[in-house]
Amino acid sequence: MNNAKKKSPGRPRSTTSHQAILKAALELLSEVGFEAMSIEAIATRAGVGKTTIYRRYSSKDELVADAIESIREEVLIPDTGNLWSDVDTLIENAAQITLTPLGRQSVAMIISSASSNPGFAQIYWEKYLQPRRQSFAIVIERAKARNEVSTDLDAGLIFDAMSGIMLYALIFPPNESWTAYVRRALSLLLG
Amino acid sequence: MNNAKKKSPGRPRSTTSHQAILKAALELLSEVGFEAMSIEAIATRAGVGKTTIYRRYSSKDELVADAIESIREEVLIPDTGNLWSDVDTLIENAAQITLTPLGRQSVAMIISSASSNPGFAQIYWEKYLQPRRQSFAIVIERAKARNEVSTDLDAGLIFDAMSGIMLYALIFPPNESWTAYVRRALSLLLG
DNA sequence: TGATTTCGATACGGTGCGGTATCGCAAATT
DNA sequence: AATTTGCGATACCGCACCGTATCGAAATCA
């Protein structure tokens, strides 16, 4: 890939401006949502000229995709020796990501993009969901080895179901706590 | 609740215009989503003056709420005497609504609107999901009476989980058929 | 018939955003 | 030092929409 071709003359692009743009974009995403956020507002909040944004990105989609990319973290595979401890860790982790205003909006934007753009759905599936699905399968495999669940449990299906429930509960918030709600649903799935 | 207060003088409000407005609103909702649809666009498509809309509704929320309300077809409650027959009927019914290109688009738009706009989510929940949730509960109650499922099953939770899975499978299509996939997930939930 | 209300149409001022261009200055390469 | 590119700022044009007002025609009631 592109490796440090710094041969270009002239002033280099400001990394601090770049950071400020991404930060402002994420903030606005969490505050007003994808639809309502404008390039102008991002530029103003970042203390940056519109030009500086348009020089980097040609669309809002592009900008926001990069902003989300910039805060992506590692996939963790809990291994506490107990299925429900592992699962609770995963739920807690998902809660921390999704239940903040930013996480909420990010999910909303992803769903919005994915549902109207199969290409993006595919990419998101491969790059984000698939790794998590596989690490969840490992958690389930370990539980099977410990005889905590039936050996013919379909880890993938359960992961999908869990994701669906989380998603649904995010869009239509239940009365009880999100975490407890998801946990309760999951207990049905794990028999 | 028809009160028939027709004592008002002057020209009555056109019911055909009213219908046209609701129809246009629903079409646009499915095509461009809640955020992106404008009153002007609704008026134009309905072949109606903006005035005619503003005379009836003071906000887009209000209009869309009424539009959704207007298509709240009789929610069917299958009663075949067998839980899985009932459930399959429901799944089949959901499939017919969601799996057409237009239905797909509509659901996608509704979801993305709801996820980025809590007001709309609330409206959609009350007017659309809630009635279906309650009729599903009846199906489960009957199954309990027939001893087909455990009596402490939480019908509401299962409905939500089922909805979540359907939603997830719509956005990220599984390899197998949507119907079979949903059915498989549901069999986990109903234990 | 006359009063009243709604009709579709159109125009209006206001707002906010998109996207481009320009300006004078700053920071890098050669 | 000369050149090249990025910088923030601002101005600009065009557009879509909001919400209101106004119009003449149409529909209804007293």
Side-chain angles (χ1 to χ4, degrees):
Chain A
M1 304 301 270
N2 172 24
N3 278 353
K5 294 256 288 184
K6 313 203 70 170
K7 73 166 182 184
S8 58
R11 177 175 178 173
R13 294 193 173 168
S14 162
T15 56
T16 70
S17 289
H18 199 83
Q19 297 296 88
I21 290 169
L22 296 181
K23 181 163 178 283
L26 289 171
E27 285 172 7
L28 283 170
L29 186 60
S30 75
E31 289 170 21
V32 303
F34 181 75
E35 311 274 356
M37 68 194 282
S38 67
I39 303 289
E40 299 219 351
I42 298 170
T44 301
R45 175 168 306 208
V48 147
K50 274 201 293 183
T51 321
T52 307
I53 293 181
Y54 279 110
R55 194 175 289 119
R56 290 166 165 74
Y57 307 99
S58 56
S59 72
K60 195 165 63 175
D61 298 52
E62 218 177 282
L63 200 177
V64 173
D66 195 31
I68 289 178
E69 176 91 31
S70 76
I71 53 162
R72 222 183 245 167
E73 67 237 62
E74 306 249 339
V75 183
L76 91 163
I77 307 178
D79 188 10
T80 61
N82 175 276
L83 172 61
W84 276 102
S85 300
D86 288 354
V87 165
D88 282 336
T89 303
L90 290 172
I91 293 177
E92 191 53 42
N93 202 253
Q96 281 182 5
I97 295 174
T98 36
L99 291 188
T100 67
L102 169 61
R104 238 188 130 74
Q105 287 294 346
S106 299
V107 171
M109 195 223 64
I110 287 164
I111 296 309
S112 167
S113 303
S115 54
S116 59
N117 186 332
F120 177 78
Q122 177 70 14
I123 289 172
Y124 183 74
W125 166 260
E126 286 173 5
K127 297 276 166 88
Y128 191 91
L129 289 176
Q130 185 71 17
R132 280 155 182 79
R133 199 177 196 252
Q134 279 168 352
S135 58
F136 181 77
I138 293 174
V139 169
I140 295 295
E141 286 309 315
R142 289 189 185 129
K144 283 180 183 175
R146 289 189 299 262
N147 274 324
E148 289 182 295
V149 293
S150 164
T151 51
D152 56 1
L153 220 55
D154 184 337
L157 181 62
I158 291 176
F159 177 85
D160 293 346
M162 181 179 69
S163 304
I165 291 161
M166 286 177 169
L167 181 56
Y168 183 84
L170 195 68
I171 300 173
F172 304 107
N175 287 331
E176 65 190 299
S177 97
W178 187 86
T179 306
Y181 182 80
V182 169
R183 197 181 198 281
R184 212 148 62 80
L186 204 44
S187 75
L188 283 181
L189 291 166
L190 294 175
Chain B
M1 293 310 243
N2 175 19
N3 285 347
K5 294 255 289 183
K6 314 205 71 169
K7 74 168 182 186
S8 58
R11 178 175 176 172
R13 294 194 174 169
S14 162
T15 56
T16 69
S17 290
H18 198 83
Q19 297 296 87
I21 291 169
L22 296 181
K23 181 163 177 284
L26 289 172
E27 285 172 6
L28 284 169
L29 182 62
S30 73
E31 289 170 21
V32 305
F34 182 76
E35 311 274 357
M37 66 194 283
S38 68
I39 302 289
E40 299 220 352
I42 298 170
T44 301
R45 177 170 304 210
V48 148
K50 276 199 294 182
T51 322
T52 308
I53 293 181
Y54 279 110
R55 196 175 287 118
R56 290 166 165 76
Y57 308 100
S58 56
S59 73
K60 194 165 62 173
D61 297 51
E62 219 176 281
L63 199 176
V64 173
D66 195 32
I68 291 177
E69 175 92 31
S70 76
I71 52 157
R72 188 166 97 201
E73 72 243 34
E74 237 14 76
V75 183
L76 93 163
I77 308 177
D79 188 10
T80 60
N82 174 276
L83 172 60
W84 276 102
S85 301
D86 288 353
V87 166
D88 282 337
T89 304
L90 290 172
I91 293 177
E92 191 53 41
N93 203 254
Q96 282 182 5
I97 294 175
T98 43
L99 291 188
T100 69
L102 178 60
R104 229 188 141 74
Q105 183 76 0
S106 300
V107 171
M109 284 304 174
I110 285 168
I111 293 311
S112 68
S113 297
S115 48
S116 55
N117 187 319
F120 176 75
Q122 177 70 13
I123 291 168
Y124 186 73
W125 167 260
E126 284 173 6
K127 304 278 183 183
Y128 191 90
L129 289 176
Q130 185 71 18
R132 277 153 184 80
R133 198 176 197 253
Q134 280 168 353
S135 59
F136 181 77
I138 293 175
V139 169
I140 295 296
E141 285 309 313
R142 290 191 185 126
K144 285 180 182 174
R146 289 190 300 262
N147 274 325
E148 288 182 295
V149 294
S150 164
T151 51
D152 56 2
L153 220 57
D154 184 337
L157 181 63
I158 291 176
F159 177 85
D160 293 346
M162 181 180 70
S163 304
I165 291 161
M166 287 178 168
L167 177 57
Y168 184 84
L170 194 68
I171 300 175
F172 304 108
N175 287 329
E176 66 191 301
S177 96
W178 188 87
T179 306
Y181 181 81
V182 170
R183 197 180 196 280
R184 212 148 61 83
L186 203 45
S187 74
L188 282 181
L189 290 166
L190 294 174

